[in-house]
Amino acid sequence: MSILALISLNACEENTTVGVDFIQESGIQVDTLFIDSVELVSVDPYLGQLSYSAMGAFNDPLYGEVRGTAYFKPSINAASTDTILDYMQLQLRLHVMEEEIYGDTTVAGEFEVYRITNDWHGPSFRQSTPMNLGAELIGSFTDADADTNGNIHIPLGGSWDALYRELFNIDDDSTRLTRYENEDYGLAIVPKEPTNNVRFATFSTSRLLIIGREDTSSFGIQDWAYQLERNENEPIEDRLILHNTFEQVVKLDLQSMVNQLPNTNFVRAELVLEEDTTRKFTSLGEHEIRLAVPGYRLSEGNFIDLAYQFGFSDNNIINGYPLDGRFRFEMTRVFNEQIYNNNPVKSSYLYPFMGSGYVGSNILYDVDANSPKRPRLIIHSIRSEEGQ
Amino acid sequence: MKKGAQMFVSISHFKGALLLAAVFILGSQTYIGAQNLSSNLAQSGSVYSAYGVGYPVDLETGSAKAHGVFGLSSVNQEVVGLSNPGLWSQSYYTQGASGLDFKNLRLKNSTTEARSTLFEKGYLQLLFPIKSNELGLSVGLYPVTRSNLRIINEDTFDSFGDTVVYQSEFQQFGGINKFELGFGWKITENISIGYAPSVAFFTMENSEAFNFSSSLYAQQTQKLNISGAAFSHRFGVSGSFRSLLRSQDKLSLGATFTAPFSMTLRQNFFTEKSLEVGSKTVELSNLLPAKRGELSMPLELAGGVGYAPHSRFNISAEVHYQQWSTYSNTLFDNNGAGMTDRLRFGTGVQLHPYKRVQSGFFSSFKYSAGLSYDTGHLTIQDQEIRTLWLHSGLGILSRSSSSLDVSLRYGFRGTTESSLIEENIWAIGLSVNLAEIMFLRPKLQ
């Protein structure tokens, strides 16, 4: 076999090219290994105290119905310096992201505020955390009321108003704080019909306002979280729908993949996932939008808490950034570790990553897809002529 | 003569011995490293050295290179070189000799051309007259084959619709060298014989470095090291006859035989990999079809005749045969080239005006000229890779037998037919021959 090679013989002063076709040289060969099977695992995500909290409802034609309820608990005064007088009003100034909307942009979302009746804590809050709400309406609003800064002013009343005033006005700090912790579990923002979009609140910049005649005091939000309810559509054959809330996470058997690698000196090994961009771009109705999933992540390691690893860790991560409906993961180092450093590949998980609480989903070609777009390893290796 | 005087060594000549030893040791180190050092010098030699175990290196020593022969007959009575062990008896002085070459190659095919330069270290030899003009001992280090190649190839592959350009730089350096220890013995007034056993050692490094236009692909370098060693044997005979056709004339004959030899080759294939612990050299030998192989080197025969009608002129003709058709290497093939028996003919003349008692600057030198023709040991795509050399040279003599020989050669090798390459080679050679009386017995006191 001869390989047409353009050779450049570098001289001291000149560098020109002579074509020869009789010298064998190595080249780059590209091998594709399709992944035969994957395991799907479910992970209960942490959804408390994220930068953004989802609230609203949207029936996504592709990914199914999603309904988000936000929970929050305002701060109370730590020291006895103020008093809420009878004529003062309690109001939530809720900040919502203006651009980031999941769903129909033309229909205003309507929400109601109810009391939470069980204890909860944002730092350990998960999707599966049981939450109970009272029946009493504490407030209501529509996202159309948002001002130009994305703030919605929501008057709060009812039994929560009364309790908060009572606790706020307790002179003894310890008693006030203890009773507030034990008796008030905060409020829930629940979407109501005909809401057809999901908005994202930033509770870290939201405030509880105590509005007097001449001045207004504000208190931050001490804890917050959100939960999603999904009602997924019928599965689509040969497609894999993944959400960044980890209802399904792909577990890969990378060790067996390493064993299937061609016996070559590979220079790059990459794992490739492909989106079903046709369905992705044609499934939404007019005026409906989704948040783009910025990328996929692959976590490789022996993890104690998968939800923490997937949601917050920056270690043991391989990022797969999207380009033209494709996610490419650089696997070279991981494979080299197993082959050349006696460091076996550990458990590996693939999931769409949208940090900070945004909600996103993705549809991929499955391993059973009769398509060259199904998940695969692309191996670039040196096609060596050595030793022949 | 006093007792113990035999052990006396003349201090001045001991300095000469030290000088010779220093030349040898320094030269050896340079030589051993030379073929690897080349990779740092942006050099490339003949593209035909890519085949087999490298291109054969002719054992031309001293001024022989300047007139197209090997020096098998040594009719000019100069310092004898490595070429013929049968000549090693003919020494009165302790000799040290070394040579180097600077080559400029113009390579062309039917459409384009390239230039390349190459600096090569040649041979090293120390010759000790154990018994003056009767028994001599030679220690030598010299190349048998040499590969010196650097090829840059550019190619592309598709990556999701993007074209990734990559450049692979292939370098091959190495060859067979011999470390030889032999002797020459004058068995009659006219005939001498010699035997030179040696250790032939083969080292070859093939490296390939890949660079990519896309930052997604890291640079890769992989290296294949091949080595082996074996014993080799060389025999020589020389004859010298005076006053045959006229008084003061001289006829010299010489012949050598190099036995074929085999060696076991071992190869190591490795590369650098980026790991958690940093960059690490890792073995890729499992990718090789075999880690060991057998190399068989061919039999060689050479013979020559030289005639000097008087001391100021001589003419020589020599032929060298290598049975490359018997060459085999189970470790790697010849890249599609066929090995064929090689014949090299050379003839030349030398003028020695300095031997006439007369003044004049131009009479102080030795002048040489000749030509040689080499049928080559390669047949590629039915084309024999032949070489024609034109030789010329100038020798500068010292008052002792030391000399400095400069050769200038121009060669034509190969062909542009069948997409092959024709090489036009300018080669400047420098040979240093030091001769000293090292061990001198004091005269009777």
Side-chain angles (χ1 to χ4, degrees):
Chain A
M1 184 183 73
S2 65
I3 300 161
L4 184 64
L6 289 174
I7 71 165
S8 169
L9 294 158
N10 283 347
C12 290
E13 297 174 358
E14 297 177 61
N15 185 359
T16 54
T17 302
V18 172
V20 292
D21 61 359
F22 58 90
I23 292 179
Q24 287 184 327
E25 280 187 281
S26 299
I28 298 298
Q29 79 177 37
V30 184
D31 292 295
T32 301
L33 296 176
F34 289 103
I35 296 170
D36 294 330
S37 64
V38 294
E39 183 185 348
L40 296 176
V41 297
S42 179
V43 173
D44 190 12
Y46 289 104
L47 296 177
Q49 294 196 353
L50 302 178
S51 300
Y52 310 102
S53 298
M55 56 182 202
F58 177 56
N59 190 3
D60 190 314
L62 184 60
Y63 302 126
E65 189 178 344
V66 61
R67 179 181 174 84
T69 301
Y71 309 105
F72 70 97
K73 184 175 181 180
S75 298
I76 201 164
N77 56 336
S80 179
T81 54
D82 285 322
T83 301
I84 302 178
L85 302 176
D86 291 343
Y87 63 86
M88 293 179 170
Q89 287 186 344
L90 298 185
Q91 199 176 82
L92 174 67
R93 191 186 74 198
L94 180 67
H95 181 258
V96 294
M97 301 303 291
E98 295 174 276
E99 301 294 330
E100 287 74 17
I101 298 174
Y102 177 27
D104 191 334
T105 57
T106 59
V107 178
E110 295 191 17
F111 299 89
E112 293 176 333
V113 181
Y114 296 92
R115 289 186 69 181
I116 301 169
T117 59
N118 62 286
D119 196 11
W120 60 280
H121 296 283
S124 60
F125 191 89
R126 290 181 183 247
Q127 168 70 27
S128 61
T129 302
M131 294 295 282
N132 299 306
L133 306 183
E136 180 191 4
L137 184 64
I138 304 300
S140 64
F141 65 96
T142 168
D143 61 8
D145 295 337
D147 63 19
T148 53
N149 294 320
N151 291 321
I152 305 169
H153 291 261
I154 308 160
L156 301 174
S159 62
W160 182 84
D161 177 281
L163 178 62
Y164 189 83
R165 285 172 190 265
E166 178 192 341
L167 298 176
F168 192 96
N169 291 337
I170 293 173
D171 289 336
D172 181 66
D173 291 345
S174 175
T175 305
R176 180 176 60 253
L177 294 175
T178 303
R179 284 192 62 191
Y180 186 61
E181 182 182 349
N182 295 334
E183 297 176 28
D184 188 352
Y185 301 122
L187 299 167
I189 300 174
V190 182
K192 61 176 258 191
E193 296 288 344
T195 300
N196 197 32
N197 61 39
V198 177
R199 303 297 298 263
F200 297 92
T202 57
F203 286 106
S204 61
T205 55
S206 297
R207 291 287 184 272
L208 176 69
L209 304 180
I210 301 173
I211 303 170
R213 291 193 180 113
E214 295 179 352
D215 57 356
T216 298
S217 303
S218 80
F219 291 84
I221 308 300
Q222 70 176 39
D223 208 356
W224 65 90
Y226 76 90
Q227 278 179 323
L228 288 180
E229 294 171 58
R230 288 190 188 275
N231 185 13
E232 296 200 35
N233 295 341
E234 284 295 309
I236 301 171
E237 190 177 7
D238 299 338
R239 298 293 184 271
L240 190 59
I241 290 176
L242 299 175
H243 309 292
N244 74 323
T245 39
F246 315 138
E247 284 84 352
Q248 284 192 132
V249 170
V250 175
K251 187 176 183 184
L252 290 170
D253 184 3
L254 287 183
Q255 277 211 10
S256 67
M257 290 184 199
V258 174
N259 296 334
Q260 294 174 44
L261 290 179
N263 194 26
T264 56
N265 176 20
F266 62 91
V267 297
R268 180 178 169 84
E270 59 183 335
L271 173 67
V272 181
L273 306 178
E274 300 234 20
E275 289 180 293
D276 184 346
T277 50
T278 304
R279 281 192 169 86
K280 177 183 166 184
F281 291 127
T282 59
S283 55
L284 286 174
E286 196 178 5
H287 308 303
E288 290 178 345
I289 59 174
R290 295 188 188 105
L291 301 185
V293 173
Y296 267 71
R297 278 185 165 186
L298 186 148
S299 282
E300 184 251 341
N302 298 322
F303 306 114
I304 297 171
D305 186 346
L306 289 177
Y308 178 82
Q309 169 66 26
F310 297 170
F312 307 106
S313 176
D314 287 326
N315 298 320
N316 305 98
I317 298 287
I318 299 172
N319 286 303
Y321 291 104
L323 186 65
D324 301 329
R326 192 177 291 119
F327 299 94
R328 296 166 66 182
F329 299 82
E330 160 77 285
M331 305 302 296
T332 315
R333 186 191 56 78
V334 175
F335 290 172
N336 280 340
E337 283 291 326
Q338 167 152 331
I339 297 171
Y340 300 112
N341 205 29
N342 198 26
N343 186 7
V345 181
K346 302 173 187 68
S347 300
S348 304
Y349 302 89
L350 270 171
Y351 46 91
F353 183 74
M354 287 177 74
S356 310
Y358 285 130
V359 175
S361 303
N362 205 248
I363 181 167
L364 301 175
Y365 284 85
D366 198 0
V367 291
D368 299 320
N370 183 22
S371 165
K373 292 186 173 182
R374 64 186 189 266
R376 61 201 183 275
L377 285 174
I378 307 288
I379 310 296
H380 291 84
S381 42
I382 298 175
R383 180 192 58 241
S384 185
E385 305 292 345
E386 307 295 358
Q388 295 180 12
Chain B
M1 185 169 61
K2 287 184 178 178
K3 197 173 183 180
Q6 291 177 14
M7 299 298 292
F8 179 81
V9 176
S10 162
I11 291 175
S12 62
H13 293 118
F14 184 68
K15 286 180 180 174
L18 285 177
L19 178 63
L20 286 174
V23 166
F24 189 80
I25 292 168
L26 187 64
S28 299
Q29 290 172 342
T30 310
Y31 176 78
I32 289 167
Q35 298 194 356
N36 287 331
L37 278 175
S38 300
S39 62
N40 301 323
L41 301 177
Q43 298 171 338
S44 185
S46 169
V47 294
Y48 297 109
S49 71
Y51 297 97
V53 288
Y55 206 83
V57 178
D58 292 323
L59 196 52
E60 303 160 308
T61 55
S63 64
K65 189 179 287 183
H67 68 297
V69 296
F70 306 109
L72 294 170
S73 59
S74 190
V75 70
N76 55 13
Q77 292 183 301
E78 293 176 358
V79 287
V80 295
L82 277 164
S83 307
N84 188 351
L87 295 171
W88 295 340
S89 64
Q90 301 173 16
S91 179
Y92 177 73
Y93 299 104
T94 296
Q95 297 174 17
S98 183
L100 51 88
D101 271 321
F102 177 81
K103 288 179 180 171
N104 182 282
L105 295 92
R106 185 167 70 99
L107 304 99
K108 64 176 181 180
N109 63 8
S110 53
T111 54
T112 51
E113 69 173 52
R115 284 191 182 276
S116 175
T117 55
L118 181 66
F119 179 80
E120 285 182 326
K121 193 77 176 66
Y123 62 95
L124 288 161
Q125 185 193 19
L126 283 179
L127 180 60
F128 301 96
I130 295 172
K131 197 167 184 181
S132 294
N133 280 322
E134 195 171 326
L135 183 64
L137 174 72
S138 168
V139 181
L141 183 64
Y142 59 89
V144 178
T145 65
R146 176 172 285 163
S147 184
N148 234 320
L149 193 66
R150 181 167 176 259
I151 296 174
I152 297 173
N153 178 33
E154 197 168 281
D155 209 339
T156 62
F157 61 83
D158 181 75
S159 176
F160 300 107
D162 293 332
T163 299
V164 177
V165 181
Y166 69 93
Q167 200 177 60
S168 66
E169 180 178 337
F170 173 80
Q171 295 190 69
Q172 177 172 297
F173 298 100
I176 294 177
N177 304 288
K178 281 185 178 177
F179 178 71
E180 189 177 71
L181 184 68
F183 65 90
W185 179 34
K186 190 174 185 179
I187 55 173
T188 70
E189 185 60 30
N190 301 106
I191 307 292
S192 295
I193 59 172
Y195 167 58
S198 60
V199 176
F201 51 97
F202 176 64
T203 58
M204 182 86 84
E205 180 181 289
N206 293 354
S207 72
E208 285 180 290
F210 289 80
N211 290 290
F212 301 88
S213 62
S214 166
S215 59
L216 294 176
Y217 301 84
Q219 192 213 22
Q220 289 283 317
T221 300
Q222 59 181 24
K223 290 183 179 178
L224 179 74
N225 284 344
I226 310 163
S227 61
F231 288 107
S232 173
H233 306 275
R234 196 158 65 101
F235 304 89
V237 60
S238 70
S240 183
F241 307 93
R242 293 183 178 276
S243 305
L244 290 176
L245 304 177
R246 52 186 291 187
S247 64
Q248 301 298 315
D249 71 349
K250 181 184 176 186
L251 176 72
S252 294
L253 303 166
T256 61
F257 166 72
T258 304
F261 63 93
S262 300
M263 71 169 70
T264 299
L265 299 181
R266 293 170 182 81
Q267 57 179 352
N268 256 323
F269 194 28
F270 53 89
T271 188
E272 295 280 327
K273 291 291 180 189
S274 177
L275 301 170
E276 276 182 8
V277 293
S279 185
K280 182 181 175 185
T281 301
V282 298
E283 276 269 356
L284 295 174
S285 297
N286 62 316
L287 304 183
L288 298 172
K291 293 182 182 178
R292 288 185 173 204
E294 289 297 318
L295 167 69
S296 293
M297 289 294 290
L299 165 154
E300 295 181 47
L301 285 170
V305 58
Y307 178 70
H310 49 76
S311 63
R312 298 183 304 280
F313 175 78
N314 59 267
I315 181 168
S316 301
E318 294 180 356
V319 61
H320 185 205
Y321 169 74
Q322 290 177 312
Q323 198 176 23
W324 278 97
S325 59
T326 63
Y327 163 89
S328 70
N329 188 337
T330 61
L331 213 51
F332 46 91
D333 64 18
N334 302 321
N335 290 336
M339 294 290 185
T340 55
D341 292 347
R342 175 188 184 224
L343 264 179
R344 183 186 188 272
F345 308 91
T347 185
V349 296
Q350 281 189 312
L351 292 172
H352 308 269
Y354 58 92
K355 291 185 178 178
R356 176 177 288 176
V357 182
Q358 63 180 58
S359 60
F361 177 77
F362 293 105
S363 300
S364 307
F365 303 108
K366 171 178 62 184
Y367 299 94
S368 307
L371 61 88
S372 63
Y373 179 73
D374 177 1
T375 63
H377 72 303
L378 292 172
T379 300
I380 306 171
Q381 295 177 13
D382 298 325
Q383 299 288 332
E384 285 187 345
I385 308 303
R386 303 170 184 147
T387 307
L388 174 68
W389 282 105
L390 305 177
H391 304 252
S392 66
L394 193 69
I396 304 166
L397 286 300
S398 73
R399 288 179 182 172
S400 69
S401 290
S402 297
S403 67
L404 184 68
D405 290 289
V406 179
S407 64
L408 178 64
R409 298 180 295 152
Y410 188 69
F412 309 85
R413 176 179 294 151
T415 174
T416 57
E417 293 179 23
S418 303
S419 300
L420 299 181
I421 287 180
E422 182 181 305
E423 299 176 345
N424 297 98
I425 309 162
W426 279 106
I428 299 173
L430 180 66
S431 177
V432 180
N433 311 286
L434 300 175
E436 285 284 347
I437 301 174
M438 290 174 58
F439 305 103
L440 183 66
R441 294 177 185 174
K443 294 183 177 179
L444 291 175
Q445 297 180 2

